[in-house]
C-alpha cells in the first residue's frame, strides 16, 4: 500500500483526480517515472505530492467574519476549533502571541472582536 | 491515582449528507460537515474530544486529523500494539509553518553546511549517500505529546498519546559531515534549517540548534531512510536530523541548511518558543510566574499498555496477557513494573527485544482477573539512570513533557 501510494503520488503532473467514498485522493497519470539518485546501494526517488487544503470556516455567521478574515491564513480553522474552553485572558494572550511573535498581519482594531469570538466559542463535547 | 475518564479511544462513524466526490480535487473541505467520515474520541478531561480519522495525506495510512494545514497527524494508539517499530505510513506528523514544498527533486537537492567552518559544503544526495553509513533505532516524540490530558488545559496541539513513534533511521553521523567542513575554533552551536517556510515572510522561519559538543557526539545523525525506506515527504524527505533521546522539535525535517555558529542561537524557536521551566520534570504550579526557563531538551521515561484500553471487558477469574511499550527517554529501559493495586505492589514485567537504548522496548505480563469490580493496570518505566515515572502529572503552560504513570481501567464481567 505504501509503495502503491508513492507510485501514484510521485507522478509529477496532475492527471485526473478521483475522490473515493473514503475521501482518498488518488492521482492517475501516465507520464515518465520520477527521477532517482542511487549511490552506495541506496536509491532515493523524487517526490511530488499534493497536500490537502482546507476551506473550513468558523461557524457563527457575521460574528465569525473577523476570525475568518484574520485567523486562517497560517493555519486551518480546526486548530482553533479543537482547542478546549479557554478564558478570555488566555485567548487574548494567544492572539497577542500570533501578532507579536508570529507576525500575523492582523488589524489591531479587529483584536477585541477576535478575542470575544474565541472566548465565546462553545467547544464540542 | 487512577485514570477517571471512562471513555477510551473509541471509534464511530459520523454520517453526513453529501459525498466526497462533491468536494474539489484536494480540498478537505469542512471536516465537520458534508461527508461521511470516521471519527475517533480522544479521552481528554473535557472536549473537544472528537477528531476525524483521515487517509487523505500522501504516503500516509489512517491518521487522527488534529490539523489540516500545516499538518498535525496523530498515530492511532492501536498501531503501537503491532510492534516496536512504527510503520512509516502511520508515523505522526507535525509541521509548524504552512509553506511546505510538495515537490522534492532528488537530482537537484543540496545539503549546505556553512557558517563557522573552514570549507563550506554543498552536497548532492549521491554525495550524502556515500558518507559512512550508520543505523539507529530511536523514539521520536513531540514535546507536546499527550498535551490534551493537561489539567488545567493549555492551548496548543491537543494531542492524545500518539504524537510519538519509533523507527530505524539510516544515514550518516553529523560529526562526519562537520569534520568534512572543518569546524573552526570558537564554534558554540550548530543550527539546522529545513525547506519549509512561513506563509508570511515576517514569521520566524523554523530553525533549531544544538550545542557543538552535542552535534559532534557521534550519535546525532542525518537520516535518509526510515525503517529501510525513503521517508514520507511529511516525515521530512529527503533528509531529517535525528537527535536520539531528545524531543522531536530538534529533529528538523527536509534538512537543507546547517550553520555552525560562533555565538548562542537567539532565533525565536530557541529563545522564545519550546522553553520549559528549568525545574525537575518541567513542572510548575499553574499560578506560578517568574521562574527560569530553558530550551526543551532530553526526554523522560514513559510506558503504556497497548493491547487493552480503558473500558474493555475482561472475564472474571481469567488470566490475561497484558503487553505494551516503554522507553527510557535518553537512556535505556531498566525495568517496567505493572501494578493492579494502585502502586502498593508491582509485578516485574518481561522485557522484549532490545533494539538499543533509544528505542521502544516491548514488555509483557500475565495478570489474574479478580471475581468482580474493575481491574486497574498501572504501568511504570524506570530507566537505566534510575529515573522513574511518577503518579502526579507535571504541569507547565506549554503542555510539554507529560510522562506520569498511565492507568488502564478494565471492566470485569
Amino acid at each position: 500500500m505504501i509503495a502503491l501510494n508513492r507510485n501514484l503520488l510521485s507522478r509529477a503532473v496532475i492527471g485526473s483526480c478521483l475522490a473515493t467514498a473514503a475521501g482518498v485522493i488518488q492521482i492517475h497519470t501516465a507520464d515518465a517515472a520520477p527521477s532517482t539518485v542511487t549511490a552506495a546501494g541506496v536509491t532515493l526517488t523524487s517526490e511530488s505530492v499534493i497536500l490537502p487544503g482546507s476551506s473550513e470556516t468558523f461557524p457563527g455567521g457575521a460574528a465569525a467574519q473577523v476570525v475568518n478574515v484574520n485567523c486562517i491564513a497560517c493555519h486551518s480553522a480546526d486548530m482553533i476549533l479543537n482547542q478546549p474552553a479557554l478564558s478570555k485572558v488566555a485567548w487574548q494572550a494567544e492572539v497577542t502571541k500570533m501578532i507579536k511573535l508570529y507576525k500575523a498581519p492582523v488589524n489591531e482594531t479587529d483584536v477585541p472582536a477576535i478575542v470575544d469570538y474565541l472566548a465565546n466559542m462553545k467547544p464540542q463535547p | 491515582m487512577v485514570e477517571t475518564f471512562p471513555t477510551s479511544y473509541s471509534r464511530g462513524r459520523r454520517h453526513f449528507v453529501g459525498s466526497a466526490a462533491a468536494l474539489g480535487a484536494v480540498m478537505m473541505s469542512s471536516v465537520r460537515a458534508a461527508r461521511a467520515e470516521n471519527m475517533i474520541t480522544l479521552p481528554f478531561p473535557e472536549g473537544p474530544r472528537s477528531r476525524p480519522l483521515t487517509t487523505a495525506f500522501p504516503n500516509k495510512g489512517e491518521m487522527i486529523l488534529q490539523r489540516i494545514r500545516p499538518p498535525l497527524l496523530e498515530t492511532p494508539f492501536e498501531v503501537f500494539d503491532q510492534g516496536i517499530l512504527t510503520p512509516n505510513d502511520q508515523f505522526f506528523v507535525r509541521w509548524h509553518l504552512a509553506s511546505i514544498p510538495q515537490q522534492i527533486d532528488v537530482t537537484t537537492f543540496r545539503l549546505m553546511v556553512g557558517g563557522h567552518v573552514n570549507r563550506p559544503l554543498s552536497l548532492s544526495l549521491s554525495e550524502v549517500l556515500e558518507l559512512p553509513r550508520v543505523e539507529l533505532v530511536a523514539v521520536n516524540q513531540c514535546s507536546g505529546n499527550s498535551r490534551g490530558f493537561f489539567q488545567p488545559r493549555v492551548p496548543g496541539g491537543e494531542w492524545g498519546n500518539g504524537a510519538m513513534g519509533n523507527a530505524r533511521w539510516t544515514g550518516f553521523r553529523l560529526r562526519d559531515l562537520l569534520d568534512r567542513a572543518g569546524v573552526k575554533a570558537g564554534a558554540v552551536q550548530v543550527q539546522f534549517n529545513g525547506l519549509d517556510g512561513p506563509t508570511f515572510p515576517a514569521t520566524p522561519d523554523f530553525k533549531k540548534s544544538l550545542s557543538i559538543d552535542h552535534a559532534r557526539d557521534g550519535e546525532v545523525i542525518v537520516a535518509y531512510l526510515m525503517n529501510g525506506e525513503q521517508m514520507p515527504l511529511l516525515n521530512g524527505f529527503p533528509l531529517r536530523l535525528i537527535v536520539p533521546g531528545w524531543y522531536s522539535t530538534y529533529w528538523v525535517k527536509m534538512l537543507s541548511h546547517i550553520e555552525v555558529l560562533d555565538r548562542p542561537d537567539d532565533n525565536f524557536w530557541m529563545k522564545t518558543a519550546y522553553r520549559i521551566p528549568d525545574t525537575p520534570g518541567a513542572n510548575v504550579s499553574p499560578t506560578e510566574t517568574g521562574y527560569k526557563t530553558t530550551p526543551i531538551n532530553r526526554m523522560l521515561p514513559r510506558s503504556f499498555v497497548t493491547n487493552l484500553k480503558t473500558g474493555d471487558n475482561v472475564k472474571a477469574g481469567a488470566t490475561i496477557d497484558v503487553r505494551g511499550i516503554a522507553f527510557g527517554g535518553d537512556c535505556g529501559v531498566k525495568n517496567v513494573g505493572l501494578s493492579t493495586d494502585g502502586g502498593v505492589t508491582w509485578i516485574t514485567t518481561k522485557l522484549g527485544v532490545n533494539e538499543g537504548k533509544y528505542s521502544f522496548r516491548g514488555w509483557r505480563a500475565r495478570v489474574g482477573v479478580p471475581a468482580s469490580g474493575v481491574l486497574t493496570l498501572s504501568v511504570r518505566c524506570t530507566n537505566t539512570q534510575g529515573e522513574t515515572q511518577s503518579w502526579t502529572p507535571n504541569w507547565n503552560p506549554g503542555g510539554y513533557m507529560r510522562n506520569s504513570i498511565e492507568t488502564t481501567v478494565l471492566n470485569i464481567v
Side-chain angles (χ1 to χ4, degrees):
Chain A
M1 191 60 195
I2 305 169
L4 176 66
N5 275 342
R6 175 164 300 140
N7 269 335
L8 288 169
L9 291 163
S10 296
R11 306 294 159 87
V13 181
I14 301 172
S16 59
C17 290
L18 177 72
T20 70
V24 180
I25 312 294
Q26 298 182 333
I27 297 153
H28 301 270
T29 59
D31 59 328
S35 56
T36 62
V37 163
T38 301
V42 169
T43 297
L44 299 177
T45 304
S46 292
E47 282 278 13
S48 180
V49 305
I50 297 175
L51 298 179
S54 172
S55 60
E56 184 176 30
T57 55
F58 291 90
Q65 183 64 11
V66 73
V67 280
N68 284 325
V69 166
N70 285 294
C71 301
I72 51 177
C74 300
H75 57 74
S76 45
D78 48 1
M79 183 65 187
I80 291 173
L81 295 169
N82 283 337
Q83 295 302 304
L86 299 170
S87 69
K88 191 166 180 176
V89 171
W91 276 120
Q92 178 69 58
E94 286 301 302
V95 174
T96 302
K97 180 171 83 181
M98 294 304 150
I99 297 170
K100 300 291 185 206
L101 299 181
Y102 292 94
K103 314 295 183 190
V106 174
N107 191 337
E108 289 285 348
T109 59
D110 285 345
V111 171
I114 294 171
V115 173
D116 274 345
Y117 178 90
L118 297 171
N120 288 317
M121 286 193 305
K122 298 281 177 275
Q124 299 295 306
Chain B
M1 295 300 124
V2 162
E3 181 92 45
T4 53
F5 317 117
T7 325
S8 189
Y9 293 77
S10 59
R11 284 150 176 272
R13 183 168 281 271
R14 203 188 263 183
H15 291 278
F16 295 99
V17 179
S19 73
L23 299 176
V26 289
M27 277 308 217
M28 287 213 327
S29 173
S30 186
V31 292
R32 283 167 186 77
R35 65 186 160 115
E37 192 160 57
N38 281 317
M39 303 295 289
I40 190 169
T41 301
L42 300 173
F44 297 147
E46 65 277 321
R49 299 186 181 93
S50 189
R51 303 283 188 277
L53 287 161
T54 178
T55 53
F57 286 81
N59 297 338
K60 286 286 154 185
E62 186 174 73
M63 300 294 289
I64 300 170
L65 182 60
Q66 292 281 5
R67 183 175 71 194
I68 297 175
R69 191 183 65 89
L72 298 182
L73 308 176
E74 177 169 346
T75 301
F77 203 78
E78 62 265 26
V79 170
F80 299 113
D81 193 48
Q82 295 165 11
I84 59 168
L85 294 177
T86 313
N88 292 359
D89 72 336
Q90 290 193 289
F91 208 99
F92 87 98
V93 168
R94 194 267 185 264
W95 291 84
H96 300 84
L97 304 174
S99 179
I100 301 169
Q102 299 185 66
Q103 284 84 37
I104 300 288
D105 183 340
V106 293
T107 65
T108 57
F109 178 89
R110 290 290 181 281
L111 175 62
M112 318 284 281
V113 183
H116 204 59
V117 297
N118 293 316
R119 297 171 294 278
L121 304 176
S122 170
L123 300 181
S124 68
L125 282 173
S126 55
E127 290 170 308
V128 159
L129 293 174
E130 298 284 1
L131 289 166
R133 188 165 295 162
V134 293
E135 199 174 87
L136 172 85
V137 178
V139 174
N140 175 23
Q141 179 183 212
C142 181
S143 309
N145 190 25
S146 318
R147 182 181 287 118
F149 297 104
F150 269 60
Q151 284 189 291
R153 295 288 293 271
V154 294
E158 301 296 329
W159 299 106
N161 290 329
M164 62 176 185
N166 187 46
R168 187 181 306 279
W169 308 96
T170 306
F172 59 89
R173 290 186 190 89
L174 179 60
R175 182 178 64 198
D176 291 346
L177 182 70
L178 293 173
D179 286 352
R180 181 175 286 208
V183 174
K184 287 183 182 173
V188 173
Q189 286 189 322
V190 182
Q191 185 190 63
F192 307 92
N193 192 6
L195 292 176
D196 55 324
T199 305
F200 298 106
T203 303
D205 192 13
F206 183 72
K207 299 175 194 172
K208 297 297 289 189
S209 292
L210 298 174
S211 74
I212 186 71
D213 288 344
H214 191 178
R216 299 191 73 256
D217 74 357
E219 292 196 314
V220 176
I221 70 173
V222 178
Y224 41 78
L225 297 181
M226 176 179 180
N227 292 325
E229 294 189 317
Q230 67 179 41
M231 60 193 85
L233 182 136
L234 286 172
N235 292 107
F237 181 79
L239 298 177
R240 181 168 198 175
L241 191 71
I242 306 302
V243 188
W246 279 40
Y247 284 97
S248 185
T249 182
Y250 294 97
W251 298 41
V252 173
K253 298 181 287 298
M254 287 189 188
L255 177 66
S256 58
H257 287 79
I258 298 174
E259 186 84 359
V260 178
L261 306 178
D262 61 359
R263 64 201 178 280
D265 188 354
D266 63 355
N267 105 76
F268 169 79
W269 295 97
M270 291 299 294
K271 189 181 171 187
T272 308
Y274 284 105
R275 303 286 294 199
I276 55 167
D278 195 5
T279 59
N283 186 38
V284 289
S285 133
T287 54
E288 215 169 325
T289 56
Y291 46 82
K292 189 172 171 244
T293 68
T294 190
I296 196 167
N297 48 83
R298 55 185 287 268
M299 298 195 293
L300 299 174
R302 297 195 78 173
S303 55
F304 302 88
V305 171
T306 58
N307 69 320
L308 294 160
K309 59 186 191 300
T310 289
D312 284 355
N313 292 332
V314 286
K315 200 168 172 229
T319 301
I320 58 169
D321 285 312
V322 181
R323 63 173 182 262
I325 53 169
F327 56 102
D330 68 341
C331 61
V333 172
K334 183 178 174 191
N335 62 58
V336 176
L338 183 69
S339 179
T340 59
D341 56 15
V344 179
T345 57
W346 292 91
I347 302 161
T348 301
T349 67
K350 186 171 163 39
L351 298 182
V353 177
N354 187 355
E355 288 281 9
K357 63 182 181 178
Y358 297 117
S359 172
F360 282 159
R361 190 90 188 256
W363 59 267
R364 61 177 62 231
R366 299 269 289 168
V367 173
V369 180
S372 63
V374 294
L375 175 62
T376 66
L377 301 172
S378 300
V379 59
R380 182 179 71 179
C381 174
T382 301
N383 71 20
T384 55
Q385 291 171 27
E387 291 174 300
T388 194
Q389 297 178 254
S390 63
W391 288 103
T392 312
N394 71 334
W395 193 92
N396 55 66
Y400 296 137
M401 294 176 66
R402 185 176 174 93
N403 82 318
S404 51
I405 293 171
E406 305 285 339
T407 297
T408 304
V409 184
L410 307 172
N411 303 315
I412 299 172
V413 295

